[in-house]
Coordinates of all heavy atoms in Angstrom, one line a residue:
M1 N -4.2 92.3 136.2 CA -4.9 93.3 137.0 C -6.1 92.7 137.7 O -6.7 91.8 137.2 CB -5.4 94.4 136.0 CG -4.3 95.1 135.3 SD -4.4 96.9 135.0 CE -5.6 97.5 136.1
S2 N -6.4 93.3 138.8 CA -7.6 92.8 139.6 C -8.9 93.4 139.1 O -8.9 94.3 138.3 CB -7.3 93.1 141.1 OG -7.7 94.5 141.3
N3 N -10.0 92.9 139.6 CA -11.3 93.4 139.3 C -11.7 94.4 140.4 O -12.8 94.9 140.4 CB -12.3 92.3 139.2 CG -12.1 91.5 138.0 OD1 -11.7 92.0 136.9 ND2 -12.4 90.2 138.0
G4 N -10.8 94.7 141.3 CA -11.1 95.6 142.4 C -11.0 97.1 142.0 O -11.1 97.4 140.9
P5 N -10.9 97.9 143.0 CA -10.8 99.4 142.8 C -9.7 99.7 141.8 O -8.7 99.1 141.8 CB -10.6 100.0 144.2 CG -10.9 98.9 145.1 CD -10.7 97.6 144.4
Y6 N -9.9 100.8 141.1 CA -8.8 101.2 140.2 C -8.8 102.7 140.2 O -9.8 103.4 140.6 CB -9.0 100.7 138.8 CG -10.2 101.2 138.1 CD1 -10.2 102.3 137.3 CD2 -11.5 100.5 138.2 CE1 -11.3 102.8 136.6 CE2 -12.6 101.0 137.6 CZ -12.5 102.2 136.8 OH -13.6 102.7 136.2
M7 N -7.8 103.3 139.6 CA -7.7 104.7 139.5 C -7.2 105.0 138.1 O -6.3 104.3 137.5 CB -6.7 105.3 140.5 CG -6.7 106.8 140.5 SD -5.9 107.5 142.0 CE -4.5 106.4 142.3
R8 N -7.7 106.1 137.5 CA -7.3 106.5 136.1 C -6.6 107.8 136.2 O -7.0 108.7 136.8 CB -8.6 106.6 135.3 CG -8.3 107.0 133.8 CD -9.7 107.3 133.1 NE -9.5 107.9 131.8 CZ -9.5 107.2 130.7 NH1 -9.8 105.9 130.6 NH2 -9.4 107.9 129.5
G9 N -5.4 107.8 135.5 CA -4.6 109.0 135.5 C -4.5 109.4 134.0 O -4.5 108.6 133.1
E10 N -4.4 110.7 133.8 CA -4.3 111.3 132.4 C -3.2 112.3 132.3 O -3.0 113.1 133.2 CB -5.6 111.9 131.9 CG -6.8 110.9 131.9 CD -8.1 111.5 131.4 OE1 -8.1 112.8 131.3 OE2 -9.0 110.8 131.1
C11 N -2.7 112.4 131.1 CA -1.8 113.5 130.8 C -2.6 114.8 130.7 O -3.8 114.8 130.7 CB -1.0 113.3 129.5 SG -2.0 113.3 128.0
Q12 N -1.9 115.9 130.6 CA -2.6 117.2 130.6 C -3.5 117.4 129.4 O -4.5 118.1 129.6 CB -1.6 118.4 130.7 CG -0.5 118.4 129.7 CD 0.6 119.3 130.0 OE1 0.4 120.5 130.1 NE2 1.8 118.8 130.3
C13 N -3.3 116.8 128.3 CA -4.2 117.0 127.1 C -5.3 115.9 127.1 O -6.2 116.0 126.3 CB -3.4 117.0 125.8 SG -2.8 115.4 125.2
G14 N -5.1 114.8 127.9 CA -6.1 113.8 128.0 C -6.0 112.7 126.9 O -6.8 111.8 126.9
A15 N -5.0 112.8 126.0 CA -4.8 111.8 125.0 C -4.3 110.5 125.5 O -4.6 109.4 125.0 CB -3.8 112.3 123.9
V16 N -3.5 110.5 126.6 CA -3.0 109.3 127.2 C -3.6 109.1 128.6 O -3.7 110.1 129.4 CB -1.4 109.4 127.4 CG1 -0.9 108.3 128.3 CG2 -0.7 109.3 126.0
A17 N -4.0 107.9 128.8 CA -4.6 107.5 130.1 C -4.0 106.3 130.7 O -3.7 105.4 129.9 CB -6.1 107.3 130.0
L18 N -3.7 106.3 131.9 CA -3.1 105.1 132.6 C -4.2 104.6 133.6 O -5.0 105.3 134.1 CB -1.9 105.5 133.5 CG -0.7 106.1 132.7 CD1 0.4 106.4 133.7 CD2 -0.2 105.1 131.7
L19 N -4.2 103.3 133.8 CA -5.1 102.6 134.7 C -4.3 101.9 135.7 O -3.4 101.1 135.4 CB -6.0 101.6 133.9 CG -7.2 101.0 134.7 CD1 -8.2 102.1 135.1 CD2 -7.9 100.0 133.8
A20 N -4.5 102.2 137.0 CA -3.8 101.6 138.1 C -4.8 100.9 139.1 O -5.9 101.4 139.3 CB -3.0 102.7 138.9
T21 N -4.4 99.7 139.6 CA -5.1 99.1 140.6 C -4.4 99.2 141.9 O -3.2 99.3 142.0 CB -5.3 97.6 140.2 OG1 -4.1 96.9 140.2 CG2 -6.1 97.4 138.9
G22 N -5.2 99.1 143.0 CA -4.5 99.1 144.3 C -4.0 100.5 144.6 O -4.4 101.5 144.0
S23 N -3.1 100.5 145.5 CA -2.4 101.8 145.9 C -1.0 101.9 145.4 O -0.4 100.9 145.1 CB -2.4 101.9 147.5 OG -3.7 101.8 148.0
A24 N -0.6 103.1 145.3 CA 0.8 103.4 144.9 C 1.7 102.8 146.0 O 1.4 102.8 147.2 CB 1.0 104.9 144.7
L25 N 2.9 102.4 145.6 CA 3.9 101.9 146.5 C 4.4 103.0 147.4 O 4.6 102.8 148.6 CB 5.1 101.3 145.8 CG 4.8 100.0 145.0 CD1 6.1 99.7 144.1 CD2 4.5 98.8 145.9
A26 N 4.6 104.1 146.8 CA 5.1 105.3 147.6 C 4.8 106.5 146.8 O 4.6 106.5 145.6 CB 6.6 105.1 147.8
G27 N 4.8 107.6 147.5 CA 4.7 108.9 146.8 C 5.5 110.0 147.5 O 5.8 109.8 148.7
D28 N 5.9 111.0 146.8 CA 6.7 112.1 147.3 C 6.2 113.4 146.8 O 6.4 113.7 145.6 CB 8.1 111.9 147.0 CG 9.1 112.9 147.6 OD1 8.6 113.8 148.3 OD2 10.3 112.9 147.2
E29 N 5.4 114.1 147.6 CA 4.9 115.4 147.2 C 6.0 116.4 146.8 O 5.8 117.2 145.9 CB 4.0 116.0 148.2 CG 2.6 115.2 148.4 CD 1.7 115.9 149.3 OE1 1.6 117.2 149.3 OE2 1.1 115.2 150.1
K30 N 7.1 116.4 147.5 CA 8.2 117.3 147.2 C 8.7 117.1 145.8 O 8.9 118.1 145.1 CB 9.3 117.1 148.2 CG 10.4 118.2 148.1 CD 11.3 118.1 149.2 CE 12.4 119.2 149.1 NZ 13.3 119.1 150.2
S31 N 8.9 115.9 145.4 CA 9.4 115.6 144.0 C 8.3 115.5 143.0 O 8.5 115.5 141.8 CB 10.2 114.3 144.0 OG 9.4 113.2 144.2
G32 N 7.0 115.3 143.5 CA 5.9 115.2 142.6 C 5.8 113.9 141.9 O 5.3 113.8 140.8
L33 N 6.2 112.8 142.6 CA 6.2 111.5 142.0 C 5.5 110.4 142.8 O 5.4 110.5 144.0 CB 7.7 111.0 141.8 CG 8.6 111.9 141.0 CD1 10.0 111.5 141.1 CD2 8.1 111.9 139.5
L34 N 5.0 109.5 142.1 CA 4.4 108.3 142.7 C 5.0 107.0 142.0 O 5.4 107.1 140.9 CB 2.9 108.2 142.3 CG 1.9 109.1 143.1 CD1 0.5 108.9 142.5 CD2 1.9 108.8 144.6
W35 N 5.2 106.0 142.8 CA 5.7 104.7 142.3 C 4.7 103.6 142.4 O 4.0 103.5 143.4 CB 7.0 104.3 143.1 CG 8.1 105.3 142.9 CD1 9.1 105.1 141.9 CD2 8.4 106.5 143.6 NE1 9.9 106.2 142.0 CE2 9.5 107.1 143.0 CE3 7.8 107.2 144.6 CZ2 10.1 108.3 143.4 CZ3 8.3 108.4 145.0 CH2 9.5 108.9 144.4
W36 N 4.6 102.8 141.4 CA 3.6 101.7 141.3 C 4.4 100.4 140.9 O 5.4 100.5 140.2 CB 2.6 102.0 140.1 CG 1.9 103.3 140.2 CD1 2.4 104.5 139.7 CD2 0.7 103.6 140.8 NE1 1.5 105.5 140.0 CE2 0.4 104.9 140.7 CE3 -0.2 102.8 141.5 CZ2 -0.7 105.5 141.2 CZ3 -1.4 103.4 142.0 CH2 -1.6 104.7 141.8
R37 N 3.8 99.3 141.3 CA 4.3 98.0 140.8 C 3.9 97.9 139.3 O 2.9 98.4 138.9 CB 3.6 96.8 141.5 CG 4.0 96.8 143.0 CD 3.4 95.6 143.7 NE 2.1 95.1 143.1 CZ 1.7 93.9 143.3 NH1 2.3 93.0 144.1 NH2 0.5 93.5 142.8
Q38 N 4.9 97.4 138.5 CA 4.6 97.4 137.1 C 3.4 96.6 136.7 O 2.6 97.0 135.8 CB 5.8 96.8 136.4 CG 7.0 97.7 136.3 CD 8.1 97.2 135.3 OE1 7.9 96.3 134.5 NE2 9.3 97.8 135.5
Q39 N 3.1 95.5 137.4 CA 1.9 94.8 137.1 C 0.6 95.5 137.5 O -0.5 95.1 137.0 CB 1.9 93.3 137.7 CG 2.0 93.3 139.2 CD 3.4 93.2 139.7 OE1 4.4 93.7 139.1 NE2 3.6 92.6 140.8
D40 N 0.7 96.5 138.2 CA -0.5 97.3 138.6 C -0.8 98.5 137.8 O -1.7 99.3 138.1 CB -0.4 97.7 140.1 CG -0.5 96.6 141.1 OD1 -1.0 95.5 140.7 OD2 -0.1 96.8 142.2
L41 N 0.0 98.7 136.7 CA -0.2 99.9 135.9 C -0.2 99.5 134.4 O 0.6 98.7 134.0 CB 1.0 100.9 136.2 CG 0.8 102.3 135.7 CD1 -0.3 103.0 136.4 CD2 2.2 103.0 135.9
Q42 N -1.2 100.1 133.7 CA -1.2 99.8 132.2 C -1.7 101.0 131.5 O -2.3 101.9 132.0 CB -2.1 98.6 131.9 CG -3.6 98.9 132.1 CD -4.5 97.7 131.8 OE1 -4.0 96.6 131.9 NE2 -5.7 97.9 131.4
L43 N -1.3 101.0 130.2 CA -1.7 102.1 129.3 C -3.1 101.8 128.9 O -3.4 100.7 128.3 CB -0.8 102.1 128.1 CG -1.1 103.2 127.0 CD1 -0.9 104.6 127.6 CD2 -0.2 103.0 125.8
A44 N -4.1 102.7 129.2 CA -5.5 102.4 128.9 C -5.9 103.1 127.6 O -6.8 102.6 126.9 CB -6.4 103.0 130.0
Q45 N -5.2 104.2 127.2 CA -5.5 104.8 125.9 C -4.3 105.7 125.5 O -3.6 106.1 126.3 CB -6.8 105.6 125.9 CG -6.7 106.9 126.6 CD -7.9 107.7 126.6 OE1 -9.0 107.2 126.7 NE2 -7.8 109.0 126.5
G46 N -4.2 105.9 124.2 CA -3.3 106.9 123.7 C -2.0 106.2 123.2 O -1.8 105.0 123.3
E47 N -1.1 107.1 122.7 CA 0.2 106.7 122.2 C 1.3 107.3 122.9 O 1.3 108.5 123.2 CB 0.3 107.0 120.7 CG 1.5 106.6 120.0 CD 1.5 106.9 118.6 OE1 0.4 107.2 118.0 OE2 2.6 106.9 118.0
L48 N 2.3 106.5 123.3 CA 3.5 107.0 124.0 C 4.7 107.1 123.1 O 4.8 106.2 122.1 CB 3.8 106.1 125.2 CG 2.8 106.0 126.3 CD1 3.2 105.0 127.3 CD2 2.5 107.4 126.9
I49 N 5.6 108.0 123.3 CA 6.9 108.0 122.7 C 7.9 107.6 123.8 O 8.0 108.3 124.8 CB 7.3 109.4 122.1 CG1 6.3 109.8 121.1 CG2 8.7 109.4 121.6 CD1 6.4 111.2 120.6
E50 N 8.6 106.5 123.6 CA 9.5 106.0 124.6 C 10.9 106.3 124.2 O 11.3 106.1 123.0 CB 9.3 104.5 124.9 CG 8.0 104.2 125.6 CD 7.9 102.7 126.1 OE1 8.5 101.9 125.4 OE2 7.3 102.5 127.1
R51 N 11.7 106.7 125.1 CA 13.2 107.0 124.9 C 14.0 106.2 125.9 O 13.8 106.3 127.1 CB 13.5 108.5 125.1 CG 12.8 109.4 124.1 CD 13.1 110.8 124.3 NE 12.5 111.3 125.6 CZ 13.0 112.1 126.4 NH1 14.2 112.7 126.2 NH2 12.4 112.5 127.5
D52 N 14.9 105.4 125.3 CA 15.8 104.6 126.1 C 17.1 105.4 126.4 O 17.8 105.7 125.4 CB 16.1 103.2 125.4 CG 17.0 102.3 126.3 OD1 17.5 102.8 127.4 OD2 17.2 101.2 125.8
L53 N 17.3 105.8 127.6 CA 18.4 106.6 128.0 C 19.5 105.7 128.6 O 20.5 106.3 129.2 CB 18.0 107.7 128.9 CG 16.9 108.6 128.4 CD1 16.5 109.6 129.4 CD2 17.3 109.3 127.1
G54 N 19.5 104.4 128.4 CA 20.5 103.5 129.0 C 20.2 103.2 130.4 O 20.0 102.0 130.7
D55 N 20.3 104.1 131.3 CA 20.0 103.9 132.7 C 18.5 104.0 133.1 O 18.1 103.7 134.2 CB 20.8 104.8 133.6 CG 20.5 106.3 133.5 OD1 19.9 106.6 132.4 OD2 20.8 107.0 134.4
R56 N 17.7 104.4 132.1 CA 16.3 104.5 132.4 C 15.5 104.7 131.0 O 16.1 105.0 130.0 CB 15.9 105.7 133.3 CG 16.3 107.0 132.8 CD 16.2 108.1 133.8 NE 16.5 109.4 133.3 CZ 17.7 109.9 133.2 NH1 18.8 109.2 133.5 NH2 17.9 111.1 132.7
T57 N 14.2 104.4 131.1 CA 13.4 104.6 129.9 C 12.3 105.5 130.3 O 11.6 105.4 131.3 CB 12.8 103.2 129.4 OG1 13.8 102.4 129.1 CG2 11.9 103.5 128.2
I58 N 12.1 106.6 129.5 CA 11.1 107.6 129.7 C 10.0 107.5 128.7 O 10.4 107.4 127.5 CB 11.7 109.0 129.8 CG1 12.7 109.1 131.0 CG2 10.7 110.1 129.9 CD1 13.5 110.4 131.1
A59 N 8.8 107.6 129.1 CA 7.6 107.6 128.1 C 6.9 108.9 128.2 O 6.6 109.3 129.3 CB 6.7 106.4 128.4
N60 N 6.6 109.5 127.1 CA 5.9 110.8 127.0 C 4.7 110.6 126.1 O 4.7 109.8 125.2 CB 6.8 111.9 126.4 CG 8.0 112.2 127.3 OD1 9.0 111.4 127.3 ND2 8.0 113.2 128.1
C61 N 3.7 111.5 126.4 CA 2.5 111.5 125.6 C 2.9 112.0 124.2 O 3.7 112.9 124.0 CB 1.5 112.5 126.1 SG 0.1 112.8 125.0
A62 N 2.4 111.3 123.1 CA 2.8 111.6 121.8 C 2.1 112.9 121.3 O 2.6 113.6 120.4 CB 2.4 110.5 120.8
E63 N 1.1 113.3 122.0 CA 0.4 114.6 121.7 C 0.9 115.8 122.4 O 1.3 116.8 121.7 CB -1.1 114.4 122.0 CG -1.9 113.4 121.2 CD -2.0 113.7 119.8 OE1 -2.2 114.9 119.4 OE2 -1.8 112.8 118.9
C64 N 1.0 115.8 123.7 CA 1.4 117.0 124.4 C 2.8 117.0 124.9 O 3.3 118.0 125.4 CB 0.4 117.3 125.6 SG 0.5 116.1 126.9
G65 N 3.4 115.8 124.9 CA 4.8 115.6 125.3 C 5.0 115.5 126.8 O 6.2 115.3 127.3
Q66 N 4.0 115.5 127.6 CA 4.1 115.3 129.1 C 4.7 114.0 129.4 O 4.3 113.0 128.8 CB 2.8 115.5 129.8 CG 2.9 115.4 131.3 CD 1.6 115.5 132.0 OE1 0.5 115.5 131.4 NE2 1.6 115.7 133.3
Q67 N 5.6 113.9 130.3 CA 6.2 112.7 130.8 C 5.1 111.9 131.5 O 4.3 112.4 132.3 CB 7.3 112.8 131.7 CG 7.9 111.5 132.2 CD 9.2 111.7 133.0 OE1 10.0 112.6 132.8 NE2 9.3 110.8 134.0
V68 N 4.9 110.6 131.1 CA 3.9 109.8 131.7 C 4.4 108.8 132.6 O 3.8 108.5 133.7 CB 3.1 109.1 130.5 CG1 2.1 108.1 131.1 CG2 2.4 110.1 129.6
W69 N 5.6 108.2 132.3 CA 6.3 107.3 133.3 C 7.7 107.2 133.0 O 8.2 107.6 131.9 CB 5.6 105.9 133.4 CG 5.7 105.0 132.2 CD1 6.9 104.7 131.5 CD2 4.7 104.3 131.6 NE1 6.6 103.7 130.5 CE2 5.3 103.5 130.6 CE3 3.3 104.1 131.8 CZ2 4.5 102.6 129.8 CZ3 2.6 103.3 131.0 CH2 3.2 102.5 130.0
M70 N 8.4 106.6 134.0 CA 9.9 106.3 133.8 C 10.1 104.9 134.5 O 9.6 104.6 135.5 CB 10.7 107.3 134.5 CG 12.2 107.1 134.3 SD 13.3 108.3 135.0 CE 13.1 108.0 136.7
T71 N 10.9 104.1 133.8 CA 11.3 102.8 134.4 C 12.8 102.8 134.4 O 13.5 103.4 133.6 CB 10.8 101.6 133.5 OG1 11.3 101.7 132.2 CG2 9.2 101.6 133.5
I72 N 13.3 102.0 135.4 CA 14.7 101.8 135.6 C 15.0 100.3 135.5 O 14.4 99.6 136.2 CB 15.2 102.4 136.9 CG1 14.9 103.9 136.9 CG2 16.7 102.1 137.2 CD1 15.2 104.6 138.2
P73 N 15.9 99.9 134.6 CA 16.2 98.5 134.5 C 16.6 97.8 135.8 O 17.3 98.5 136.6 CB 17.4 98.4 133.5 CG 17.3 99.7 132.7 CD 16.7 100.7 133.7
G74 N 16.1 96.7 136.1 CA 16.4 95.9 137.3 C 15.4 96.3 138.5 O 15.5 95.7 139.5
R75 N 14.6 97.2 138.3 CA 13.6 97.6 139.3 C 12.2 97.2 138.8 O 11.9 97.2 137.6 CB 13.6 99.1 139.6 CG 14.8 99.4 140.3 CD 14.9 100.9 140.7 NE 13.7 101.5 141.1 CZ 13.6 102.8 141.4 NH1 14.6 103.6 141.3 NH2 12.4 103.3 141.7
D76 N 11.3 96.8 139.7 CA 10.0 96.3 139.3 C 8.9 97.4 139.5 O 7.7 97.1 139.5 CB 9.6 95.1 140.2 CG 10.4 93.9 139.9 OD1 10.8 93.8 138.7 OD2 10.6 93.1 140.8
D77 N 9.3 98.6 139.6 CA 8.4 99.7 139.8 C 8.4 100.7 138.6 O 9.3 100.7 137.8 CB 8.6 100.4 141.1 CG 9.9 101.1 141.2 OD1 10.8 100.8 140.5 OD2 10.0 102.1 142.0
I78 N 7.3 101.5 138.5 CA 7.2 102.5 137.5 C 7.0 103.8 138.2 O 6.1 103.9 139.1 CB 6.0 102.2 136.5 CG1 6.3 101.0 135.7 CG2 5.8 103.4 135.6 CD1 5.1 100.6 134.8
E79 N 7.7 104.8 137.8 CA 7.6 106.1 138.4 C 6.7 107.0 137.5 O 6.9 107.1 136.3 CB 9.0 106.7 138.5 CG 9.1 108.1 139.1 CD 10.6 108.5 139.1 OE1 11.3 108.0 139.9 OE2 10.9 109.4 138.2
T80 N 5.7 107.6 138.1 CA 4.8 108.5 137.4 C 4.7 109.9 138.1 O 4.8 110.0 139.3 CB 3.4 107.9 137.3 OG1 2.8 107.9 138.6 CG2 3.4 106.6 136.7
P81 N 4.4 110.9 137.3 CA 4.2 112.2 137.9 C 2.9 112.2 138.7 O 1.9 111.7 138.2 CB 4.1 113.2 136.7 CG 4.8 112.5 135.6 CD 4.5 111.0 135.8
L82 N 3.0 112.8 139.9 CA 1.8 113.0 140.7 C 0.7 113.7 140.0 O -0.5 113.5 140.2 CB 2.2 113.7 142.0 CG 1.2 113.8 143.1 CD1 0.7 112.5 143.6 CD2 1.8 114.6 144.2
A83 N 1.0 114.7 139.1 CA 0.1 115.5 138.3 C -0.9 114.7 137.4 O -1.9 115.2 137.1 CB 0.8 116.5 137.5
L84 N -0.5 113.4 137.1 CA -1.4 112.6 136.3 C -2.6 112.1 137.0 O -3.6 111.8 136.4 CB -0.7 111.4 135.8 CG 0.6 111.5 134.9 CD1 1.2 110.1 134.6 CD2 0.2 112.3 133.6
W85 N -2.6 112.1 138.3 CA -3.6 111.4 139.1 C -4.6 112.4 139.7 O -4.2 113.5 140.2 CB -2.9 110.5 140.2 CG -2.0 109.6 139.5 CD1 -0.6 109.7 139.4 CD2 -2.3 108.4 138.8 NE1 -0.1 108.7 138.7 CE2 -1.1 107.9 138.3 CE3 -3.5 107.7 138.5 CZ2 -1.1 106.7 137.5 CZ3 -3.5 106.6 137.7 CH2 -2.2 106.1 137.3
P86 N -5.8 112.0 139.9 CA -6.9 112.9 140.4 C -7.0 113.0 141.9 O -8.0 112.6 142.5 CB -8.2 112.2 139.8 CG -7.8 110.7 139.9 CD -6.4 110.7 139.5
F87 N -5.9 113.5 142.5 CA -5.9 113.7 144.0 C -6.3 115.1 144.2 O -5.9 116.0 143.5 CB -4.5 113.4 144.6 CG -4.1 112.0 144.4 CD1 -3.0 111.7 143.7 CD2 -4.7 111.0 145.0 CE1 -2.5 110.4 143.5 CE2 -4.3 109.6 144.9 CZ -3.2 109.4 144.2
D88 N -7.0 115.3 145.3 CA -7.3 116.7 145.7 C -6.2 117.3 146.5 O -5.5 116.7 147.2 CB -8.6 116.7 146.6 CG -9.8 116.4 145.7 OD1 -9.8 116.6 144.5 OD2 -10.8 115.8 146.3

């Protein structure tokens, strides 16, 4: 991670927080998703429950159950819900 600007995203209960550097690779307001490079996103606090569904892995907050991210094997990005991030 860089020492530059960062953004903190949280699940709805605040138990899980993500830290992202730089800008998202892409975002889609219609689907409510943002995509980040894996190396630009890290778990800053909290506990996740990860489920391997074969074609993807989904991580949810252990407290409130909100989906925090999804990864797809063979891709270098992480998909996160737009609702985690502090955009106006």
Side-chain angles (χ1 to χ4, degrees):
M1 298 214 21
S2 77
N3 290 327
Y6 67 90
M7 187 165 38
R8 181 183 169 102
E10 296 181 349
C11 67
Q12 53 192 296
C13 75
V16 167
L18 301 178
L19 191 61
T21 61
S23 300
L25 293 171
D28 183 4
E29 287 186 42
K30 187 174 182 178
S31 67
L33 299 171
L34 285 175
W35 291 269
W36 306 88
R37 294 182 333 158
Q38 284 191 16
Q39 61 266 32
D40 289 345
L41 194 66
Q42 70 180 29
L43 180 64
Q45 76 179 34
E47 184 179 340
L48 298 175
I49 297 171
E50 291 189 328
R51 295 178 293 143
D52 184 353
L53 303 176
D55 63 339
R56 64 191 181 278
T57 300
I58 296 176
N60 298 78
C61 171
E63 296 292 321
C64 68
Q66 181 181 11
Q67 183 175 324
V68 175
W69 70 49
M70 182 176 75
T71 59
I72 297 173
R75 289 183 35 186
D76 291 330
D77 62 340
I78 295 178
E79 180 179 286
T80 65
L82 187 59
L84 297 177
W85 304 101
F87 296 116
D88 292 331

